Amino acid sequence: MIGKLAAPLCALMLALMPMSGQAHEAHAGALTIIHPSIPAVMQGAQAAAGYFTIVNAGDSADRLTAVEVDFAAMAMMHSSETDAAGVTRMIDVGAVEVPAGATVKLAPGGLHVMFMGLTAPIAEGVMLPGTLVFDHAGKVPVEFMVTTAGKAPDMSGHKMTP
C-alpha cells in the first residue's frame, strides 16, 4: 500500500515546494525568456523595474516591442546611461533588438522594463503574469517573480547560451 502511494505523494510534495529560489523560463520558437523578475518595492510605490534574459537560438533576429501587464498602468523599455558627470538617466528605447544567435540581458544598470502606475502590490514571493510582445515570436506569456528588493536573481545554475 505504501509503495503505491509513494510516487503520487512525492509528486505532490514537489508541486507544493516554494519556487522563489528557482529560475523559470518561457519559450516561443527559437526564443527563451529566462527568469522574468521584479525586485520587491515598498508598499505605495508607483514604479518598479523588471528584468529578464532573452536567448535567441534561431537564425533570424527578432525584436521585443512591448510588455503588457495588468499590475501597472504602463510598461516601458528603458536603458540606463551614465554621462561624464556621473549622472545616470533612463532613456525610453521603444523596442529591444534580439539578434540571431544572441543573448540579450535586461538587468540593473542597463536595459530594463519600467512598470509605472502600479495597481497591485509588488511583494516578495508573488508571481505576476505578463506578456512580452515580439515582432516574429508574437505574444509570449511570462510570469514575473517578485524577488528580494535590491538583490539580483541567482541564475548561476542556469545555462544561458543558445
Side-chain angles (χ1 to χ4, degrees), residues 2 6 9 43-44 52-53 57 67 78 80 84 91 95-96 103-104 106 114 127 132 138 154-155:
I2 291 178
L9 184 58
Q43 187 172 353
F52 47 90
T53 299
V67 178
H78 287 162
S80 295
I91 299 169
V96 175
T103 298
V104 176
L106 282 76
M114 283 304 302
M127 298 293 280
L132 306 183
D154 177 17
M155 298 188 312

Side-chain angles (χ1 to χ4, degrees), residues 37-50 69-72 115-129 144-149:
S37 63
I38 302 170
V41 296
M42 292 176 48
Q43 187 172 353
Q46 290 300 301
V69 296
D70 290 336
F71 58 85
F115 301 108
M116 295 168 280
L118 299 177
T119 59
I122 309 295
E124 184 176 350
V126 173
M127 298 293 280
L128 298 169
F144 287 92
M145 178 184 291
V146 182
T147 61
T148 304

Side-chain angles (χ1 to χ4, degrees), residues 39 51 80 106-112 152:
Y51 309 112
S80 295
L106 282 76
L111 288 172
H112 60 279

Side-chain angles (χ1 to χ4, degrees), residues 72-156:
M74 182 184 315
M76 296 175 67
M77 291 170 282
H78 287 162
S79 176
S80 295
E81 294 183 6
T82 305
D83 65 19
V87 177
T88 301
R89 61 189 177 112
M90 288 187 291
I91 299 169
D92 181 5
V93 296
V96 175
E97 300 295 327
V98 187
T103 298
V104 176
K105 293 183 181 183
L106 282 76
L111 288 172
H112 60 279
V113 178
M114 283 304 302
F115 301 108
M116 295 168 280
L118 299 177
T119 59
I122 309 295
E124 184 176 350
V126 173
M127 298 293 280
L128 298 169
T131 302
L132 306 183
V133 182
F134 292 89
D135 278 344
H136 301 294
K139 292 188 173 200
V140 181
V142 297
E143 283 193 306
F144 287 92
M145 178 184 291
V146 182
T147 61
T148 304
K151 181 179 178 185
D154 177 17
M155 298 188 312
S156 59

Side-chain angles (χ1 to χ4, degrees), residues 2-75:
I2 291 178
K4 290 183 179 182
L5 292 176
L9 184 58
C10 286
L12 177 62
M13 289 173 59
L14 286 172
L16 295 176
M17 288 178 64
M19 296 288 292
S20 63
Q22 299 177 358
H24 62 288
E25 59 190 36
H27 301 274
L31 299 182
T32 301
I33 293 84
I34 301 170
H35 199 63
S37 63
I38 302 170
V41 296
M42 292 176 48
Q43 187 172 353
Q46 290 300 301
Y51 309 112
F52 47 90
T53 299
I54 306 168
V55 178
N56 184 350
D59 295 332
S60 59
D62 208 335
R63 190 168 69 122
L64 176 63
T65 58
V67 178
E68 300 171 348
V69 296
D70 290 336
F71 58 85
M74 182 184 315

